[in-house]
Amino acid sequence: AQKSGYTGGAGLIMDVETGELLALTSYPEYNANILSKGEDRETINLYNKDKRKVFLNRALSGLYSPGSIVKPFLAVGALTENIISPTKQLFSSGEISIPNPYNPGQKTIFKDNKAHGWVDMRQAIAVSSNVYFYTIGGGYQGQEGLGITRMEKYFRLFGLGEKTNISLGDKDGTIPNPAWKAKNFKGDIWRIGDTYNTAIGQYGVQVTPVQMVRAVAALANNGKLLVPHIIADQDPEVTETIALDPADMQVVSDGMRRVVTEGTGHYLN
């Protein structure tokens, strides 16, 4: 972290069957012994002045826009709601465009990370195609989308935007919706562009890393939403068992596997 100029972040590794956190770290860290003794005032003052928020446990209380790691949950929702077949291909030219609500003579452009061509759901997950997930999130050119209400439903189904009940304490977060926008943007209405940006984990989406690791674990263990814990050999505590079609879950699992065999995370294969 010091060599690369890394200013802050967090990491967790969780057993997907038990909920045990095998690793939990937040950077930058502080020395608890120095605080408890209270003698090294110089170091304590440096902690207090550090703009990187040394005392923030980013893994549990840091709120971040998750970005593309929400796409598998969107895929689960689209399959469950039968808005698209997993084998149907959508074309990514590298962007989509819609009329600008503030200037109808212009277009609002929503970018992909590259032009992917024709992709089905498994490949869209593997290459993280924004265009595919804009489309199944908000709809485009005749293809139905989930819409923000159903998107929020599936994000929350996997515990996003809500506390995990970990004993160390954590934050909840935000899943944006029309009421949230009206409250935070002086009554402004929800627009299709807001749905598109939410579909790729941007805009007002705010989650903690521990929420995300629990949500991804639920994909891996066929729908068990676990309470994360740090005590070894503790019995698993399941807050909810998400009733989803195993075939749909397998499609998403296949796509996530392709992330590392041929997609954006191939360096981890």
Side-chain angles (χ1 to χ4, degrees), residues 194-209:
D194 302 329
T195 302
Y196 287 156
N197 286 323
T198 301
I200 61 167
Q202 302 289 348
Y203 193 47
V205 186
Q206 294 277 284
V207 298
T208 62

Side-chain angles (χ1 to χ4, degrees), residues 197-240:
N197 286 323
T198 301
I200 61 167
Q202 302 289 348
Y203 193 47
V205 186
Q206 294 277 284
V207 298
T208 62
V210 72
Q211 282 174 26
M212 287 307 313
V213 77
R214 179 177 70 150
V216 173
L219 290 175
N221 64 30
N222 294 314
K224 291 183 294 184
L225 202 59
L226 298 161
V227 175
H229 61 86
I230 59 172
I231 301 173
D233 301 321
Q234 180 177 319
D235 291 337
E237 183 179 349
V238 180
T239 56
E240 184 176 354

Side-chain angles (χ1 to χ4, degrees), residues 160-191:
L160 300 185
E162 300 173 357
K163 292 182 178 180
T164 66
N165 293 324
I166 187 171
S167 60
L168 298 174
D170 59 343
K171 292 286 183 69
D172 43 19
T174 302
I175 305 298
N177 56 34
W180 169 88
K181 185 178 182 183
K183 178 181 178 181
N184 289 278
F185 291 88
K186 298 181 179 179
D188 197 7
I189 64 170
W190 186 269
R191 303 183 188 278

Side-chain angles (χ1 to χ4, degrees), residues 242-265:
I242 306 167
L244 296 168
D245 188 332
D248 293 343
M249 297 286 275
Q250 188 61 52
V251 169
V252 176
S253 180
D254 291 345
M256 293 180 73
R257 177 61 182 149
R258 288 190 190 184
V259 170
V260 294
T261 58
E262 61 190 73
T264 54

Side-chain angles (χ1 to χ4, degrees), residues 125-136:
I125 293 172
V127 300
S128 193
S129 170
N130 287 347
V131 164
Y132 184 94
F133 287 96
Y134 292 147
T135 303
I136 68 169

Side-chain angles (χ1 to χ4, degrees), residues 137 146-155 175-178 190 195:
L146 283 166
I148 189 57
T149 299
R150 289 188 291 185
M151 282 169 52
E152 181 179 12
K153 169 187 172 182
Y154 285 95
F155 286 164
I175 305 298
N177 56 34
W190 186 269
T195 302

